[in-house]
Amino acid sequence: MSASKKFAAVTGAGSGIGRATAVALANAGFAVALIGRRIEPLLETKELIGTEGGEAHAFSADVTHAESVEHAFAQIAQTFGRLDVLFNNAGRNAGAVPLEDYEVDFWNDVVATNLTGVFLCARAAYRIMKAQSPQGGRIINNGSISAHSPRPHTIAYSATKHAVTGITKSIALDGRAFNIACSQIDIGNAATSLTERMNKGVLQADGRLASEARMDVTHVANAVVHMASLPLEANVLNMTIMASAMPFVGRG
């Protein structure tokens, strides 16, 4: 591999924000490791990158299982020789469920993906970045505007996204000694299949159902590329990118 080439990994790269960001990183000159549970969508992303002249490799992994994550990142290290950026993107939605109706298994499933998965992938990337020469790298966690303000009846999702902020700050602190930067991007209403319900109407803080504005997912991808492309002496600790007209700022 060229000494000047940069290497990135993207979790949840088979669709939505992950796919758009993987493509954008490849277009920016990164070789990209595509990580996800199902290999078929990853191969579709890989093919899309290849048709645009980029380099991508697919690695199947379940981010909720430590052994699966460790195996995937070991393969990435062997394939690339180093890792410069992790976009820690994999997560799951958790629809509106009143607190009194929450099942423990549902809670545990959301926590496993949105919190434990973020930790496991960050840990694996951190180990590579600390051990490699030149030392260092950047981890970008996908938070959410729910890391700042919850939607109604989303206690598990909101709790995990608030916790991701703690992970981001901890890694940003602990990584200083090893030239490892950590960032968080909080995204509001990117136009993907997961937010199509916004067009029909979603529950608001005042109990109404209302449709919400969405933004093109490429704006998110380009924002991640900007964060990923900074020299390690600089860091965007936290970025909020959102559809301008969504009801995030103000009283509900």
Side-chain angles (χ1 to χ4, degrees):
M1 295 290 186
S2 168
S4 62
K5 195 169 185 67
K6 295 291 186 179
F7 303 95
V10 177
T11 66
S15 63
I17 291 169
R19 172 174 287 179
T21 301
V23 171
L25 285 166
N27 289 341
F30 286 84
V32 185
L34 311 171
I35 304 170
R37 282 189 302 113
R38 297 188 298 123
I39 193 67
E40 292 81 6
L42 299 179
L43 294 176
E44 292 173 3
T45 304
K46 178 181 178 180
E47 182 177 2
L48 184 61
I49 289 171
T51 60
E52 299 183 10
E55 179 184 354
H57 303 264
F59 302 91
S60 177
D62 183 342
V63 300
T64 68
H65 291 109
E67 297 81 2
S68 182
V69 170
E70 291 299 318
H71 178 68
F73 277 84
Q75 289 182 302
I76 291 167
Q78 184 175 19
T79 301
F80 288 161
R82 65 177 290 110
L83 182 63
D84 298 292
V85 173
L86 166 66
F87 181 39
N88 213 355
N89 166 71
R92 58 154 293 172
N93 251 335
V97 179
L99 176 57
E100 66 271 21
D101 296 330
Y102 249 82
E103 298 287 343
V104 172
D105 287 346
F106 183 62
W107 167 274
N108 288 337
D109 187 51
V110 176
V111 170
T113 303
N114 289 359
L115 184 56
T116 303
V118 170
F119 158 72
L120 291 173
C121 293
R123 183 181 67 169
Y126 190 96
R127 286 171 171 169
I128 294 171
M129 292 171 180
K130 182 179 177 180
Q132 65 194 9
S133 180
Q135 191 179 59
R138 187 182 306 276
I139 296 169
I140 303 171
N141 294 322
N142 185 347
S144 169
I145 61 171
S146 288
H148 304 276
S149 182
R151 290 185 178 277
H153 305 314
T154 59
I155 189 169
Y157 187 82
S158 297
T160 56
K161 293 304 184 178
H162 276 71
V164 168
T165 301
I167 288 177
T168 299
K169 291 179 179 179
S170 291
I171 297 172
L173 174 60
D174 296 342
R176 286 178 189 170
F178 311 109
N179 208 24
I180 298 172
C182 191
S183 311
Q184 182 167 319
I185 185 165
D186 296 321
I187 303 162
N189 289 9
T192 69
S193 59
L194 291 179
T195 61
E196 286 181 359
R197 71 187 193 284
M198 303 292 180
N199 293 325
K200 299 178 181 178
V202 290
L203 185 63
Q204 303 297 305
D206 61 2
R208 293 181 303 118
L209 286 177
S211 60
E212 294 187 10
R214 300 192 299 164
M215 62 179 169
D216 194 297
V217 71
T218 58
H219 301 313
V220 176
N222 291 338
V224 175
V225 170
H226 169 69
M227 298 166 79
S229 300
L230 289 171
L232 289 176
E233 68 185 51
N235 186 36
V236 177
L237 178 64
N238 185 268
M239 177 190 289
T240 298
I241 183 167
M242 52 180 271
S244 300
M246 72 174 298
F248 173 53
V249 178
R251 300 189 181 192

